[in-house]
Amino acid sequence: MNAQVAPTAAVLIIGDEILSGRTRDTNLNTLARFLAALGIDLMEARTVGDRQNQIVQALNALRSAHDYVFTTGGIGPTHDDITADAVGAAFGVAVREHPEALAILERRYGPGEFNAARRRMARIPEGGGLIANPVTDAPGFQIGNVFVMAGVPRIMEAMLQDVAPRLRTGAVVHARTIRVVGVGEGAIADILRAAADARRDLSFGSYPFGFGSDGEVGTQLVIRGRNGAEVDAAEHDLSQELRSSGIEIAVG
């Protein structure tokens, strides 16, 4: 499938808690689905800890290689929330209190509650603009092609409402799945390869299943492409070829 017809994106997940296994990341899956619906190809994802040099190195590599980069994590009020400073270092700009962010946070907290720790969440790199946070108000920010968002899944997902209108979209990818039962990938590899060779503008993938207690084994064949008619035709032809080879296709 030709990735050049669509914008590309990368995700940078930040946090020691992810690398240690204390927290299970779900933001990558949310972002992948969000971007797919906009016709933006998610090309890679990286996870780094709360270390500025790692964040800077990864961010600079990703933002130079892709149209968009989305980061999650490290923009809260505690000492280990260093993402804003790392992004500033990556772009070579100072990190200062943003007047609008400061006003948002001052309205959020009552008298005596807006302490120095919470004030840290108003700091963003110079030249950055805010990303609205309808859950807790503490904003994320955008600078260049980088979107910096919270690590808490509910907050990150809510921030995407403000991000979506800023993105250049592409043609949405269509996908069809053929589920074959009773055979593994090896039995259908040649058929799948021939189908892929015949339609090089499409993507063909195989994903085995059935290693659980129910005993059913098989393979899911997934066809993806931006031309829905071509994807449908490929599904029809591949299904016919599988059946003519005596391979059972599950219905429903």
Side-chain angles (χ1 to χ4, degrees):
M1 185 172 58
N2 186 358
Q4 299 303 314
V5 301
T8 65
V11 172
L12 181 60
I13 301 162
I14 300 167
D16 288 344
E17 70 278 8
I18 303 295
L19 292 173
S20 70
R22 290 193 301 273
T23 300
R24 184 189 300 273
D25 174 68
T26 61
N27 289 330
L28 177 57
N29 181 268
T30 298
L31 281 164
R33 293 174 181 273
F34 166 77
L35 294 169
L38 296 174
I40 299 171
D41 289 340
L42 178 58
M43 304 301 289
E44 62 177 307
R46 303 188 190 187
T47 303
V48 297
D50 297 312
R51 288 169 287 281
Q52 180 164 312
N53 64 324
Q54 286 189 347
I55 299 170
V56 170
Q57 183 179 17
L59 183 58
N60 280 336
L62 294 173
R63 72 188 181 94
S64 65
H66 302 289
D67 295 299
Y68 302 116
V69 179
F70 301 85
T71 80
T72 69
I75 60 171
T78 59
H79 73 283
D80 58 346
D81 289 312
I82 62 170
T83 297
D85 292 291
V87 174
F91 278 84
V93 299
V95 178
R96 306 186 190 282
E97 288 184 345
H98 189 286
E100 185 181 349
L102 195 61
I104 290 170
L105 292 167
E106 285 176 333
R107 290 194 298 269
R108 169 74 179 186
Y109 296 102
E113 293 183 345
F114 190 42
N115 56 25
R118 288 169 172 155
R119 194 176 182 114
R120 292 186 74 245
M121 295 187 291
R123 301 171 64 252
I124 74 166
E126 285 188 340
L130 302 186
I131 297 174
N133 172 1
V135 178
T136 65
D137 292 338
F141 62 87
Q142 175 190 355
I143 179 168
N145 64 338
V146 177
F147 297 84
V148 179
M149 297 177 293
V152 177
R154 184 168 66 99
I155 300 174
M156 192 282 296
E157 186 170 6
M159 285 181 170
L160 294 176
Q161 299 173 26
D162 193 28
V163 170
R166 312 183 191 192
L167 304 176
R168 177 171 61 89
T169 59
V172 175
V173 174
H174 302 271
R176 302 288 183 271
T177 300
I178 301 172
R179 191 169 184 266
V180 298
V181 294
V183 295
E185 289 182 291
I188 58 175
D190 290 341
I191 296 173
L192 191 62
R193 183 183 299 110
D197 288 343
R199 288 185 167 88
R200 294 186 178 275
D201 287 340
L202 304 181
S203 169
F204 292 78
S206 64
Y207 309 94
F209 64 85
F211 300 99
S213 58
D214 59 5
E216 183 184 54
V217 297
T219 306
Q220 291 193 111
L221 307 178
V222 180
I223 307 165
R224 302 172 71 246
R226 288 192 157 82
N227 185 312
E230 289 184 4
V231 173
D232 288 340
E235 178 190 23
H236 174 271
D237 291 350
L238 180 55
S239 297
Q240 291 290 93
E241 185 63 28
L242 290 166
R243 290 191 178 99
S244 67
S245 300
I247 296 173
E248 180 183 356
I249 297 177
V251 178

